[in-house]
Each structure stands twice: as structure tokens, then as C-alpha cells.
Amino acid sequence: MGKGGKSHEETKSGEDENMAAWLVGLNTLKIQPFKLPPLGPHDARVRMKAVGICGSDVHYLKTMRCADFVVKEPMVIGHECAGIIEEVGSEVKNLVPGDRVALEPGISCWRCDLCKDGRYNLCPEMKFFATPPVHGSLAHQVVHPADLCFKLPDNVSLEEGAMCEPLSVGVHACRRANIGPETNVLVMGAGPIGLVTMMAARAFGAPRIVIVDVDDNRLSVAKNLGADGIVKVSTDMQDVAEEVERICKAMGGGVDVSFDCAGFNKTMSTALSATRAGGKVCLVGMGHHEMTVPLTPAATREVDVIGIFRYRNTWPLCIEFLRSGKIDVKPLITHRFGFSQKEVEEAFETSAGGGSAIKVMFNL
């Protein structure tokens, strides 16, 4: 179990109760007590103020698993978060009570070869909010390492601070793909991660961005947020060749880098086919655990395929993008809820339902 807290079964009566949203069974969330661990010398106790719902949270609710991570006992949900420092450990020098902070949710070991090499996001001992068996952050308070609590400038809201988590995925993807002012970008999927990847690519200097989706509403949102071109596609594999033609026409030139933010056979096949010889395809979304894609034709054109897993060292840059106005995530927050039993249930129903919902945010 991670820093976040202890099982509600360990809460002693008579103590002030810290409440959290627990995933206790399939499609069942309950607000219950959540006992905090002792504050370590390098820790901070943070009062949560803004927590977003991620697709993985919905996955856990609907299936009790996400990829290879399986929920086997009650777990506090949530990992996109920001709050206010309540207390700091004796060795914490950079934060004081009252500071507004965004939390990076993963605690790596800092001892393994990957951590020592700087690729701590791949640490096999990673303890990540709301990834079994580690509890999450949809709670009144959590305890977290102070070095993973990043102070927010005055002009960046707590909601925007919570959005640093999904934005970090886009920023890490753009770093992995070396996006710059000479990189024309294709984004497959206009969901929350596709949209933040588009925003990050623009902030990294991409001159032209085309985004693709099956949904007219999401494409309209993408266009309003700055996409240079939008292409509506189907879910039919037979349409790939024709859709690649339309994508290239919308781009007005070659696709240098494609980001597959959905992760399905169709989207990855389209990305591989649309990307120019010598270009790159970055797989961001994980819709399918396994895929059948035209890899050999892509290999003969020396199209590089790269993957990403979460992020590393992204919070300072995300906060700077928000502070400077290079990225505005506020339009992505479409729905807001309080922290009652009824509102927690309604919020997850809204997020799972899709429709006009992009990012659903709790205000605690």
C-alpha cells in the first residue's frame, strides 16, 4: 500500500475521520473513512481540492481491472489531483502550509536501474495512486512525498493543477516523439488524451495538426481548441485507405508524427499508413491489449514505432505552459461535482457516458 492511507477497516473510532471514495465492488463506490498514515519527515499532508476522473478510474469501476492491474480488495479511487498543503514533515524545506500544489501520483523506488537512469516512470516498484493495491486521492486529505507536490503559480487554478496529470501524458508523448516547429502532427482520437496531446504538440511548436475521430462533437471541440484540420472516420477497417487519403489532404503535406491516442487495430493501422516514410508513430492509448496492424509495410518505409507509459519530469513544464498561457486546459473541464455519495455516483456516470463530457472534475 502506498503513502495515500490505510484501509477504512483500520480507522479507530473517536478520531477525526478523513473521508474518501472507495471502489468496493463492481459499479459500486462508497464514501467511507480513510485513515492517513503518519507524516514522514519528507512528506506533506495535502487537503484535496480538485480531483479529475480518468478513463482508468472508469475502467476500474466497470470491470475491476485496467490492463494487468486487478482490484482484489476495496481501493480509494482517483489520481488527477491538486490541493492545499496542511502540514509538512520536518525535513521539507520547499513547501509550507497554505501552498497550492499539484500532485504527481507515482512514487518510484529510486534504487532500480531504470530509476537511476532517469526513466523512473518504468520503475517496476512504482506505487501509483489508484493502481491496485495502492489507494488513490479522491479523499479529503492524503499524505504524499513533498518532492512530488509542485507549487502552483497564483494565476493557475487548482482545477488546472489537477489537469497537469492528463496533460503530462501529452507532454511526455511529445518529448518521446521529438515534436518541434518542423513537425506536422496527426492525432488519432479526440478524447481527453487526444486533446491534451494536440495542445502539447502545439506548445512544442508543431505548425500543423490534424485530428481524427468517429464523433462529430469531439471533432468540433478539437477544432475550437485549435486543430488545423479535422477528419471524421468510421470504425470499419475497410475504410483505412480512403481515410488515409483524406487525412493527407487535410494535412496538405506529409505526416511527420502520428499519435494514436485510442489504441485500436483501426487507429494504429491508420496511423502507420498515414505517416510519411522516415516518420514516427507514437502509441499513447491502450484500447486493445493486442493489435493486428500492417507493421511490415511501415517497416519498409522506416516508420519508427514508439510507446509511452505515463510520464516523467513533466509537472514543471506543464505548470509553465499553464502559467504562460501557451496551453489553456480550462475548456476541457465540462462537468463539475461536489463530494457527496450521490454526486460521486453521478460524476462517474457522466464520465462513463461520454456524450458532451470531456473532463469531469470534483471540487472538494
Side-chain angles (χ1 to χ4, degrees), residues 6 66 147 195 249:
K6 301 177 182 179
C66 188
D147 67 303
L195 293 173
K249 184 177 179 180

Side-chain angles (χ1 to χ4, degrees), residues 31-311:
I31 294 181
Q32 298 180 151
F34 178 38
K35 180 160 178 71
L36 294 177
L39 188 74
H42 298 282
D43 293 336
R45 180 164 55 87
V46 187
R47 182 168 295 278
M48 292 289 94
K49 301 301 288 185
V51 181
I53 297 179
C54 174
S56 64
D57 296 320
V58 175
H59 249 296
Y60 283 124
L61 177 65
K62 297 297 181 184
T63 67
M64 297 295 282
R65 69 180 300 152
C66 188
D68 294 328
F69 298 104
V70 180
V71 180
K72 297 178 180 178
E73 57 185 26
M75 178 184 80
V76 176
I77 205 79
H79 62 269
E80 303 177 359
C81 56
I84 298 173
I85 299 291
E86 292 271 306
E87 184 182 7
V88 296
S90 59
E91 297 300 315
V92 177
K93 311 299 183 187
N94 62 322
L95 295 170
V96 297
D99 282 346
R100 300 157 60 255
V101 293
L103 280 63
E104 181 173 349
I107 307 170
S108 56
C109 76
W110 291 115
R111 293 183 299 275
C112 69
D113 289 342
L114 286 162
C115 282
K116 289 178 179 179
D117 195 38
R119 305 186 74 177
Y120 69 86
N121 57 309
L122 303 178
C123 175
E125 301 300 320
M126 177 71 77
K127 294 178 173 63
F128 195 93
F129 277 154
T131 300
V134 182
H135 291 307
S137 59
L138 184 48
H140 285 139
Q141 297 187 58
V142 300
V143 169
H144 203 55
D147 67 303
L148 296 176
C149 299
F150 296 86
K151 192 172 178 179
L152 295 173
D154 290 341
N155 68 333
V156 176
S157 71
L158 287 159
E159 286 190 339
E160 291 172 279
M163 289 295 292
C164 284
E165 198 280 338
L167 180 57
S168 284
V169 175
V171 165
H172 183 52
C174 287
R175 281 176 170 169
R176 287 274 287 154
N178 294 317
I179 300 301
E182 297 181 320
T183 319
N184 287 331
V185 168
L186 169 66
V187 178
M188 304 297 300
I193 293 300
L195 293 173
V196 294
T197 301
M198 178 190 77
M199 290 174 158
R202 183 70 81 204
F204 273 76
R208 187 159 181 83
I209 304 172
V210 172
I211 193 163
V212 170
D213 204 278
V214 297
D215 184 82
D216 283 319
N217 179 63
R218 289 192 168 187
L219 287 173
S220 176
V221 170
K223 185 68 174 175
N224 290 336
L225 292 174
D228 298 296
I230 56 174
V231 177
K232 186 177 182 182
V233 294
S234 74
T235 57
D236 191 341
M237 285 291 292
Q238 302 300 316
D239 295 333
V240 168
E242 182 269 332
E243 289 168 359
V244 166
E245 286 186 18
R246 289 196 285 124
I247 288 167
C248 292
K249 184 177 179 180
M251 185 64 75
V255 175
D256 299 306
V257 173
S258 293
F259 293 104
D260 182 359
C261 296
F264 297 112
N265 289 332
K266 169 84 187 298
T267 53
M268 194 61 176
S269 296
T270 303
L272 288 166
S273 300
T275 303
R276 67 164 176 81
K280 296 175 185 174
V281 174
C282 181
L283 180 57
V284 181
M286 295 183 287
H288 282 160
H289 186 63
E290 295 181 353
M291 289 189 280
T292 302
V293 296
L295 199 55
T296 304
T300 61
R301 293 183 292 115
E302 294 193 357
V303 173
D304 294 340
V305 178
I306 55 178
I308 71 159
F309 185 63
R310 293 173 178 156
Y311 32 67

